[in-house]
Amino acid sequence: MKGLILAGGHGTRLRPITYTIQKQLIPIANKAIIYYIIEDIVSAGIKEIGIVVGPNKEQVKEKVGDGSRWGCQITYIEQDEPKGLAHAILISKEFLGEDKFIMYLGDNLIKGGINQFVDNFKNGIHSLSLMLTEVPNPEDYGIALIDEQKKVITKLLEKPKAPPTNLSIVGIYGFTNEIFEAIKNIKPSWRNELEVTDAMQWMIENQSKNASFNIVTGWWKDTGSAQS
């Protein structure tokens, strides 16, 4: 199983901080956000990690290195411009191969790690798995609807104006290589980006295996804004 960390983008919501430092390198309690993420992935037993880098790629490479300090192997995948999360997955296809993989957005922090989530996905039959958490402002996030038995995800919505649920998608995902077929079947959004939510919704509608999920009951932060 492999890990994929997204550490590109311009971090415009965190200006002026991100004029001089890549968002994923901002220190929280004196440690770069991306360091916490690498530790979570390695702790879950994943030792091959790809990092998608963008405008400040040399800064990320210098700070993170080859992964040896965490006992893992890191491969850098360059994204010329931010064209969406699904695009980042697409350009990582050669690295990911046929393996199941965990994608971790590089601005997410979670208390308690991802070991249980990874184990459930590794040993399960699902082609897609998500971490979800209840939020007070679901209109600001991608959200998930689940079935009455609370076993599988039935639908995903991206920042709906009138959210039918408060279950937000945490930026940690489990995919099989079936995600690549889904990405081929979606079109760029109004932002001219390939949206991973659209790809996951295609998987739910067109593939026989339902999407599983884990509920995060503890502390989680998307550190993409100054307020968070």
Side-chain angles (χ1 to χ4, degrees), residues 3 7 13 21-22 26 30 45 48 53 55 62 72 83 85 90 96 100 116-117 141 151 185 192 200 213-214 216 227:
R13 290 184 298 155
I21 187 171
Q22 180 67 23
I26 293 172
N30 298 322
E48 289 185 73
V53 291
E62 179 185 349
C72 66
K83 296 179 182 177
L85 303 186
L90 200 58
L96 295 166
K100 283 186 174 182
Q116 189 64 56
F117 173 73
Y141 297 96
K151 292 185 179 296
N185 282 278
N192 199 32
M200 294 189 298
F213 63 91
N214 284 43
V216 178
Q227 183 179 5

Side-chain angles (χ1 to χ4, degrees), residues 100-101 121 124-130 173-179 200 203-204 206-212:
K100 283 186 174 182
F101 67 97
F121 182 59
I125 63 167
H126 301 96
S127 54
L128 165 65
S129 188
L130 300 176
Y173 314 75
F175 293 113
T176 65
N177 64 354
E178 293 174 44
I179 183 64
M200 294 189 298
M203 293 175 79
I204 291 170
N206 294 278
Q207 294 174 351
S208 57
K209 303 183 188 77
N210 288 312
S212 63

Side-chain angles (χ1 to χ4, degrees), residues 5-22:
I5 301 173
L6 304 196
H10 296 283
T12 52
R13 290 184 298 155
L14 275 171
R15 298 272 168 82
I17 299 170
T18 46
Y19 278 127
T20 56
I21 187 171
Q22 180 67 23

Side-chain angles (χ1 to χ4, degrees), residues 24-40:
Q24 296 81 7
L25 298 176
I26 293 172
I28 304 294
N30 298 322
K31 185 162 66 176
I33 294 169
I34 198 170
Y35 290 4
Y36 291 99
I37 293 170
I38 295 170
E39 289 170 0
D40 279 355

Side-chain angles (χ1 to χ4, degrees), residues 118-203:
V118 172
D119 286 345
N120 290 349
F121 182 59
K122 184 190 297 182
N123 300 317
I125 63 167
H126 301 96
S127 54
L128 165 65
S129 188
L130 300 176
M131 295 187 84
L132 307 175
T133 191
E134 294 184 353
V135 294
N137 51 333
E139 66 278 1
D140 293 336
Y141 297 96
I143 64 164
L145 279 68
I146 60 176
D147 67 331
E148 291 182 0
Q149 289 75 37
K150 298 183 179 180
K151 292 185 179 296
V152 296
I153 297 170
T154 58
K155 191 171 185 178
L156 300 171
L157 300 168
E158 182 63 33
K159 298 179 182 176
K161 292 182 179 179
T165 174
N166 69 338
L167 281 177
S168 166
I169 301 170
V170 173
I172 303 166
Y173 314 75
F175 293 113
T176 65
N177 64 354
E178 293 174 44
I179 183 64
F180 297 112
E181 178 68 19
I183 295 171
K184 287 180 185 176
N185 282 278
I186 63 170
K187 295 179 179 179
S189 66
W190 62 271
R191 299 190 296 182
N192 199 32
E193 293 184 0
L194 289 173
E195 307 285 355
V196 73
T197 307
D198 293 343
M200 294 189 298
Q201 182 60 35
W202 190 93
M203 293 175 79

